[in-house]
Each structure stands twice: as structure tokens, then as C-alpha cells.
Amino acid sequence: MAHREHTAHEHAHGEGCGHVAVPHGDHLDYVHDGHLHRVHDEHYDECEQDEHIAHDGHEHVHGEGCGHVAVPHGDHVDYIHEGHRHAAHGDHYDEH
């Protein structure tokens, strides 16, 4: 994951900040204005994968009413599933 600082971010994320917190590996992402931000030192980073990582063996189909939290992410929607963010990509899902 690249270090891409989200500049000019004056809002402080944390418990009760009003944004959805999404567990992501060893940290929390916060959904804010269609982006996923993570705390990094004294600033926030965009939390984006640098490479295409397919989630193999994913038989569940995500969509409206699937029972998983939907998170707007840029031009698509990620779904929180088993501690991961999944995004539809062709005939499979990617880890985000």
C-alpha cells in the first residue's frame, strides 16, 4: 500500500465523528466524501491498494440486501465481508 497523504483534512476521525469506521487489517478506515482515510502519524492517508488483489473462493454475491455493509468508494461500492472490503471486478471480487 502506497503512502498517499490526504492533504487539507481538517476533520478529526475517531469514535463519534459521524463517519463509518471500517476495520481494515491492522487499522480503521473512515469513509469520508467517497474516500477511505486512515490515521497515519499526525495526518490522514488515502487507504488504497497499489495492486490488483483478487479474493479467491468468493461464492457470495454482494448487492442490495445481501446483508453486508455497503461502503461507497470512488466510482463503485465496496462490501464489508469477513473483515475485508470486497469490490466487484469482472467475474470475481477484489480485496480493497
Side-chain angles (χ1 to χ4, degrees):
M1 199 174 309
H3 177 241
R4 289 188 289 264
E5 186 173 341
H6 182 83
T7 58
H9 189 84
E10 298 176 14
H11 176 78
H13 291 297
E15 189 173 334
C17 75
H19 294 102
V20 175
V22 179
H24 189 204
D26 63 352
H27 63 274
L28 286 175
D29 290 338
Y30 291 91
V31 181
H32 188 182
D33 295 335
H35 301 270
L36 292 146
H37 300 164
R38 66 180 277 184
V39 175
H40 181 240
D41 295 330
E42 298 297 318
H43 62 274
Y44 292 94
D45 288 346
E46 300 286 345
C47 194
E48 304 292 337
Q49 294 289 353
D50 295 329
E51 58 193 87
H52 176 248
I53 303 172
H55 180 82
D56 296 324
H58 190 280
E59 297 177 13
H60 176 78
V61 176
H62 292 298
E64 189 173 331
C66 74
H68 295 102
V69 174
V71 178
H73 184 200
D75 64 353
H76 64 278
V77 175
D78 289 346
Y79 291 89
I80 309 303
H81 188 180
E82 298 176 350
H84 303 269
R85 287 187 295 139
H86 294 167
H89 184 228
D91 63 351
H92 65 277
Y93 287 92
D94 288 347
E95 295 285 349
H96 270 201

